Amino acid sequence: MTFIHQIDWEVFELVQNLWHPALDFIMKALSIVGEGGMIWIALTLILFIPKKTRKTAAYTAAALIVMLLLNNILLKNLFHRVRPFDYDGWPNFIYPDIIKRPSSYSFPSGHTSSSFAAAAAIMITNKKIGVPALIFAAVMGFSRIYLFVHYFSDVLAGAVLGVAYGFIGYLILNAIIKFVDNKRENKIL
């Protein structure tokens, strides 16, 4: 077993000790609302409604688009990492079967990446809702390990990459805004 798989296995053993019907329900619910980044897309749409949070919504949307392109389309298909329930190297592995088994590749975690991408973008522009978003993102990541659909290393990478996607989305949108402003300014002159 490789060093990374050893750490992943040890985390699974710790998490397995936390299994409880009440937590099963909560983790399953988190997983469902995180599917396809739905919770973050919904929050982004809500943030577009009040004028004072539209800027936050735009940056969050940009972060989620970057995450979709880099994480789910590029990296998952580049690494082709099998899910924990399909890995043959675990001794005495017990899959909790709390949710439907995902069919996509495991690395990096899409739920975690989208959560941290959105939370990072929100944090940059609105700390008041950014802190709860980051906490929710961390719980979302934990839920993926709890449900044994992602390795700890998938979730850790998803969190780090998600923050990077948030910053990249922020920088790209700033560059677009600056470009558009310069074009407007040149037309006026």
Side-chain angles (χ1 to χ4, degrees):
M1 195 179 296
T2 68
F3 175 70
I4 291 173
H5 274 110
Q6 182 64 39
I7 291 170
D8 287 336
W9 176 248
E10 288 174 15
V11 171
F12 278 149
E13 287 184 314
L14 289 171
V15 169
Q16 192 172 10
N17 293 323
L18 300 174
W19 282 350
H20 185 274
L23 267 180
D24 293 354
F25 176 79
I26 293 167
M27 297 302 156
K28 181 179 180 176
L30 282 170
S31 186
I32 291 168
V33 299
E35 192 66 38
M38 289 306 224
I39 188 80
W40 301 107
I41 293 168
L43 178 61
T44 301
L45 293 173
I46 291 166
L47 290 172
F48 270 118
I49 297 169
K51 191 171 185 168
K52 69 180 183 177
T53 58
R54 286 183 188 155
K55 180 174 151 184
T56 300
Y59 286 115
T60 305
L64 289 171
I65 291 167
V66 169
M67 189 289 303
L68 174 68
L69 297 173
L70 296 180
N71 198 84
N72 289 7
I73 293 174
L74 179 65
L75 293 178
K76 278 186 177 276
N77 292 306
L78 183 67
F79 285 99
H80 288 221
R81 188 177 195 191
V82 298
R83 298 279 180 164
F85 47 77
D86 286 330
Y87 178 64
D88 293 331
W90 299 130
N92 305 317
F93 182 74
I94 300 168
Y95 179 68
D97 254 342
I98 298 168
I99 63 167
K100 182 181 172 207
R101 294 179 183 204
S103 59
S104 63
Y105 293 114
S106 190
F107 183 86
S109 168
H111 279 69
T112 308
S113 293
S114 65
S115 295
F116 275 92
I122 293 167
M123 188 68 179
I124 292 169
T125 58
N126 189 327
K127 288 179 183 38
K128 185 177 179 182
I129 56 175
V131 171
L134 283 171
I135 293 168
F136 185 84
V139 174
M140 177 66 73
F142 175 76
S143 77
R144 305 305 285 163
I145 299 167
Y146 181 93
L147 296 168
F148 280 35
V149 294
H150 277 292
Y151 306 92
F152 169 73
S153 52
D154 295 341
V155 170
L156 182 61
V160 171
L161 290 168
V163 170
Y165 302 147
F167 280 105
I168 292 167
Y170 178 81
L171 294 172
I172 289 171
L173 189 54
N174 273 346
I176 292 169
I177 291 167
K178 189 174 183 177
F179 177 78
V180 169
D181 286 348
N182 285 339
K183 285 289 186 186
R184 282 188 193 148
E185 204 172 274
N186 288 336
K187 278 188 174 182
I188 293 170
L189 298 177

Short mmCIF file of all heavy atoms in Angstrom, two decimals, residues 35 83-87 93-104 144 147-149:
data_model
loop_
_atom_site.label_atom_id
_atom_site.label_comp_id
_atom_site.label_asym_id
_atom_site.label_seq_id
_atom_site.Cartn_x
_atom_site.Cartn_y
_atom_site.Cartn_z
N GLU A 35 -24.56 17.84 -4.99
CA GLU A 35 -24.45 17.20 -6.31
C GLU A 35 -24.46 18.25 -7.42
O GLU A 35 -25.35 19.09 -7.50
CB GLU A 35 -25.62 16.22 -6.50
CG GLU A 35 -25.46 15.31 -7.68
CD GLU A 35 -24.30 14.33 -7.55
OE1 GLU A 35 -24.05 13.82 -6.44
OE2 GLU A 35 -23.64 14.10 -8.57
N ARG A 83 -12.92 5.06 -7.32
CA ARG A 83 -13.53 5.39 -6.03
C ARG A 83 -13.09 4.38 -4.97
O ARG A 83 -12.73 3.24 -5.31
CB ARG A 83 -15.06 5.36 -6.16
CG ARG A 83 -15.63 6.36 -7.13
CD ARG A 83 -15.73 7.71 -6.49
NE ARG A 83 -16.28 8.69 -7.43
CZ ARG A 83 -16.75 9.85 -7.05
NH1 ARG A 83 -16.75 10.20 -5.78
NH2 ARG A 83 -17.23 10.70 -7.93
N PRO A 84 -13.17 4.78 -3.70
CA PRO A 84 -12.76 3.86 -2.63
C PRO A 84 -13.48 2.52 -2.65
O PRO A 84 -12.88 1.49 -2.37
CB PRO A 84 -13.10 4.63 -1.35
CG PRO A 84 -13.10 6.05 -1.75
CD PRO A 84 -13.55 6.09 -3.18
N PHE A 85 -14.76 2.51 -3.01
CA PHE A 85 -15.51 1.25 -3.01
C PHE A 85 -15.13 0.35 -4.17
O PHE A 85 -15.51 -0.81 -4.20
CB PHE A 85 -17.02 1.51 -3.00
CG PHE A 85 -17.48 2.54 -3.99
CD1 PHE A 85 -17.60 2.25 -5.33
CD2 PHE A 85 -17.80 3.82 -3.55
CE1 PHE A 85 -18.04 3.20 -6.24
CE2 PHE A 85 -18.24 4.78 -4.46
CZ PHE A 85 -18.35 4.47 -5.80
N ASP A 86 -14.33 0.86 -5.14
CA ASP A 86 -13.86 0.05 -6.26
C ASP A 86 -12.37 -0.31 -6.15
O ASP A 86 -11.83 -1.00 -7.01
CB ASP A 86 -14.09 0.78 -7.59
CG ASP A 86 -15.55 0.77 -8.00
OD1 ASP A 86 -16.26 -0.18 -7.66
OD2 ASP A 86 -15.97 1.73 -8.67
N TYR A 87 -11.72 0.18 -5.11
CA TYR A 87 -10.28 -0.08 -4.95
C TYR A 87 -10.08 -1.45 -4.30
O TYR A 87 -10.67 -1.75 -3.27
CB TYR A 87 -9.65 1.02 -4.08
CG TYR A 87 -8.18 0.83 -3.82
CD1 TYR A 87 -7.26 0.85 -4.85
CD2 TYR A 87 -7.73 0.62 -2.52
CE1 TYR A 87 -5.91 0.68 -4.60
CE2 TYR A 87 -6.38 0.44 -2.26
CZ TYR A 87 -5.48 0.47 -3.30
OH TYR A 87 -4.14 0.30 -3.05
N PHE A 93 -12.62 -3.96 3.83
CA PHE A 93 -13.33 -2.72 3.54
C PHE A 93 -14.83 -2.93 3.66
O PHE A 93 -15.38 -3.90 3.14
CB PHE A 93 -13.00 -2.22 2.13
CG PHE A 93 -13.66 -0.93 1.77
CD1 PHE A 93 -13.23 0.26 2.31
CD2 PHE A 93 -14.73 -0.90 0.90
CE1 PHE A 93 -13.84 1.46 1.99
CE2 PHE A 93 -15.35 0.29 0.56
CZ PHE A 93 -14.89 1.47 1.11
N ILE A 94 -15.49 -2.03 4.37
CA ILE A 94 -16.95 -2.06 4.50
C ILE A 94 -17.49 -0.77 3.91
O ILE A 94 -17.18 0.32 4.39
CB ILE A 94 -17.38 -2.15 5.99
CG1 ILE A 94 -16.81 -3.41 6.63
CG2 ILE A 94 -18.89 -2.12 6.10
CD1 ILE A 94 -16.94 -3.43 8.13
N TYR A 95 -18.28 -0.87 2.86
CA TYR A 95 -18.88 0.31 2.26
C TYR A 95 -20.25 0.52 2.90
O TYR A 95 -21.06 -0.41 2.94
CB TYR A 95 -19.02 0.15 0.75
CG TYR A 95 -19.66 1.34 0.09
CD1 TYR A 95 -19.00 2.56 0.04
CD2 TYR A 95 -20.93 1.26 -0.44
CE1 TYR A 95 -19.59 3.66 -0.54
CE2 TYR A 95 -21.53 2.36 -1.03
CZ TYR A 95 -20.85 3.55 -1.08
OH TYR A 95 -21.44 4.66 -1.65
N PRO A 96 -20.51 1.72 3.42
CA PRO A 96 -21.76 1.92 4.17
C PRO A 96 -23.04 1.90 3.33
O PRO A 96 -24.11 1.75 3.87
CB PRO A 96 -21.56 3.29 4.81
CG PRO A 96 -20.60 4.00 3.93
CD PRO A 96 -19.69 2.93 3.38
N ASP A 97 -22.93 2.04 2.02
CA ASP A 97 -24.10 2.03 1.14
C ASP A 97 -25.21 2.98 1.59
O ASP A 97 -26.39 2.63 1.59
CB ASP A 97 -24.66 0.61 0.99
CG ASP A 97 -24.34 0.04 -0.38
OD1 ASP A 97 -24.01 0.81 -1.29
OD2 ASP A 97 -24.41 -1.19 -0.53
N ILE A 98 -24.83 4.19 1.97
CA ILE A 98 -25.79 5.19 2.41
C ILE A 98 -26.37 5.95 1.22
O ILE A 98 -27.52 6.34 1.22
CB ILE A 98 -25.12 6.18 3.40
CG1 ILE A 98 -24.64 5.42 4.64
CG2 ILE A 98 -26.07 7.30 3.80
CD1 ILE A 98 -23.72 6.23 5.54
N ILE A 99 -25.54 6.13 0.19
CA ILE A 99 -25.98 6.85 -1.01
C ILE A 99 -25.67 6.00 -2.24
O ILE A 99 -24.92 5.03 -2.18
CB ILE A 99 -25.29 8.23 -1.15
CG1 ILE A 99 -23.77 8.08 -1.31
CG2 ILE A 99 -25.62 9.14 0.01
CD1 ILE A 99 -23.07 9.34 -1.77
N LYS A 100 -26.24 6.42 -3.35
CA LYS A 100 -25.96 5.77 -4.62
C LYS A 100 -24.49 5.99 -4.96
O LYS A 100 -23.95 7.09 -4.81
CB LYS A 100 -26.85 6.37 -5.71
CG LYS A 100 -26.67 5.74 -7.05
CD LYS A 100 -27.56 6.40 -8.09
CE LYS A 100 -27.20 5.85 -9.45
NZ LYS A 100 -27.50 6.78 -10.51
N ARG A 101 -23.84 4.97 -5.42
CA ARG A 101 -22.41 5.06 -5.74
C ARG A 101 -22.20 5.94 -6.98
O ARG A 101 -22.79 5.69 -8.02
CB ARG A 101 -21.84 3.68 -6.01
CG ARG A 101 -21.83 2.80 -4.78
CD ARG A 101 -21.29 1.44 -5.08
NE ARG A 101 -21.37 0.62 -3.87
CZ ARG A 101 -20.59 -0.43 -3.66
NH1 ARG A 101 -19.72 -0.80 -4.55
NH2 ARG A 101 -20.72 -1.11 -2.55
N PRO A 102 -21.35 6.96 -6.85
CA PRO A 102 -21.07 7.81 -8.00
C PRO A 102 -20.34 7.03 -9.10
O PRO A 102 -19.59 6.09 -8.80
CB PRO A 102 -20.15 8.90 -7.44
CG PRO A 102 -20.31 8.83 -5.95
CD PRO A 102 -20.69 7.42 -5.64
N SER A 103 -20.54 7.43 -10.33
CA SER A 103 -19.90 6.72 -11.45
C SER A 103 -18.68 7.47 -12.00
O SER A 103 -17.93 6.92 -12.79
CB SER A 103 -20.92 6.48 -12.56
OG SER A 103 -21.44 7.72 -13.02
N SER A 104 -18.49 8.70 -11.58
CA SER A 104 -17.34 9.48 -12.08
C SER A 104 -16.07 9.09 -11.33
O SER A 104 -16.12 8.34 -10.35
CB SER A 104 -17.61 10.98 -11.92
OG SER A 104 -17.74 11.29 -10.54
N ARG A 144 -18.00 13.64 2.21
CA ARG A 144 -17.57 12.75 1.12
C ARG A 144 -16.69 11.62 1.64
O ARG A 144 -16.73 10.51 1.12
CB ARG A 144 -16.86 13.56 0.04
CG ARG A 144 -17.67 14.73 -0.50
CD ARG A 144 -19.03 14.32 -1.01
NE ARG A 144 -18.91 13.65 -2.28
CZ ARG A 144 -19.85 12.91 -2.83
NH1 ARG A 144 -21.00 12.75 -2.24
NH2 ARG A 144 -19.65 12.33 -4.00
N LEU A 147 -19.04 9.19 3.75
CA LEU A 147 -19.84 8.32 2.89
C LEU A 147 -18.98 7.32 2.11
O LEU A 147 -19.50 6.50 1.36
CB LEU A 147 -20.67 9.17 1.92
CG LEU A 147 -21.72 10.06 2.58
CD1 LEU A 147 -22.28 11.07 1.58
CD2 LEU A 147 -22.83 9.23 3.20
N PHE A 148 -17.67 7.41 2.27
CA PHE A 148 -16.70 6.53 1.61
C PHE A 148 -16.78 6.61 0.08
O PHE A 148 -16.56 5.62 -0.61
CB PHE A 148 -16.86 5.08 2.07
CG PHE A 148 -16.23 4.79 3.41
CD1 PHE A 148 -16.21 5.73 4.43
CD2 PHE A 148 -15.66 3.56 3.67
CE1 PHE A 148 -15.65 5.45 5.66
CE2 PHE A 148 -15.09 3.27 4.90
CZ PHE A 148 -15.08 4.22 5.90
N VAL A 149 -17.13 7.76 -0.45
CA VAL A 149 -17.14 7.93 -1.90
C VAL A 149 -15.91 8.70 -2.38
O VAL A 149 -15.68 8.82 -3.58
CB VAL A 149 -18.44 8.62 -2.40
CG1 VAL A 149 -19.64 7.72 -2.17
CG2 VAL A 149 -18.65 9.97 -1.75
#
